[in-house]
């Protein structure tokens, strides 16, 4: 089974400052079709998870461009260029190449 | 717009059964695979099961295999999760989601307790 490991597990950020979350998978997420099936979600307090990034770096519909994803193979990063108050919540990475395994989650709060 | 509405949650005793439903609208339901994902209180997300667009393929997490059954009725635009032999560790909010987990419902809470 694939294991997804996120770091850090919590993050306190000053509004307007950047933030970065790492996600490492125990196996490559590169599929034979050439795509890499790594997703990022944000679960705001009291809400369902919402998709931010799919296939490593593609922003989902309506997601602000301050969110960006990068990486390849087994190492991935989500970056927020300038954190806003509405970005608080728990961020999860997820692999979609095996059986949709999630990382442990990274809690982001505002200083 | 895509809308997914779960129902059927509640309090149930260990060993009993429960069936969850997910009513879908705003997209061509019969063209998409569908998932169930759960979240225990205060914990992270755990994928539970997936079914293909036509119901011909189903996959389960090891933690529910042999106890849970995912199914769908494309004529009713509805996804189901039949949960048997429930355990206390199955207590969670259960979400349905459209493949590839682009859209999620609001969730329904299942509490397994004596």
């Amino acid at each position: 089974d694939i294991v997804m490991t996120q770091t850090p597990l919590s993050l306190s950020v000053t509004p307007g400052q950047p933030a970065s979350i790492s996600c490492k998978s125990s196996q490559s997420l590169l599929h034979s079709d050439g795509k890499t099936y790594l997703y990022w979600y944000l679960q705001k307090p009291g809400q369902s998870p919402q998709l931010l990034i799919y296939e490593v770096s593609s922003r989902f519909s309506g997601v602000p461009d301050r969110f960006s994803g990068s990486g390849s193979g087994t190492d991935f990063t989500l970056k927020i260029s300038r954190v806003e108050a509405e970005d608080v919540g728990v961020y999860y990475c997820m692999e979609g190449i095996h059986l949709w395994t999630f990382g442990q989650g990274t809690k982001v709060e505002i200083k | 717009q895509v809308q997914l509405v779960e129902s059927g949650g509640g309090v149930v005793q260990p060993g009993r059964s429960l069936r969850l439903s997910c009513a879908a609208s705003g997209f061509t339901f019969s063209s998409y695979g569908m998932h169930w994902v759960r979240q225990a209180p205060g914990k992270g997300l755990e994928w539970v099961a997936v079914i293909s667009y036509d119901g011909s393929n189903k996959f389960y997490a090891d933690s529910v295999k042999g106890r849970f059954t995912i199914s769908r009725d494309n004529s009713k635009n509805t996804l189901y999760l039949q949960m048997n032999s429930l355990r206390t560790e199955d207590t969670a909010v259960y979400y349905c989601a459209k493949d590839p987990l682009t859209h999620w419902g609001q969730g329904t809470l299942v509490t397994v307790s004596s």
Side-chain angles (χ1 to χ4, degrees), chain B residues 29-107:
Chain B
F29 181 71
S30 59
S31 296
Y32 289 87
M34 294 292 296
H35 300 255
W36 287 101
V37 178
R38 68 184 180 183
Q39 185 170 36
K43 302 296 184 182
L45 300 169
E46 180 189 15
W47 174 81
V48 172
V50 64
I51 186 168
S52 60
Y53 69 99
D54 60 356
S56 61
N57 290 292
K58 306 173 186 181
F59 297 95
Y60 300 91
D62 287 344
S63 57
V64 307
K65 201 175 294 182
R67 300 188 299 122
F68 289 12
T69 301
I70 189 171
S71 63
R72 66 191 298 159
D73 186 336
N74 285 345
S75 69
K76 296 182 178 178
N77 287 352
T78 303
L79 174 72
Y80 302 102
L81 185 67
Q82 177 67 44
M83 304 185 294
N84 299 331
S85 303
L86 282 161
R87 305 167 179 169
T88 55
E89 55 264 35
D90 295 319
T91 295
V93 174
Y94 285 74
Y95 298 99
C96 64
K98 172 179 170 281
D99 189 65
L101 293 111
T102 54
H103 299 82
W104 300 55
Q106 85 289 347

Side-chain angles (χ1 to χ4, degrees), chain A residues 41 43 48 92 99-100 102, chain B residues 35 39 44 47 95 101 105-106:
Chain A
Y41 294 87
Q43 186 173 31
S48 305
Y92 296 92
L99 281 180
W100 300 275
F102 292 90
Chain B
H35 300 255
Q39 185 170 36
W47 174 81
Y95 298 99
L101 293 111
Q106 85 289 347

Side-chain angles (χ1 to χ4, degrees), chain A residues 77-88:
Chain A
T77 302
L78 175 72
K79 293 182 178 177
I80 311 173
S81 59
R82 295 172 306 279
V83 172
E84 297 187 4
E86 65 181 26
D87 300 335
V88 298

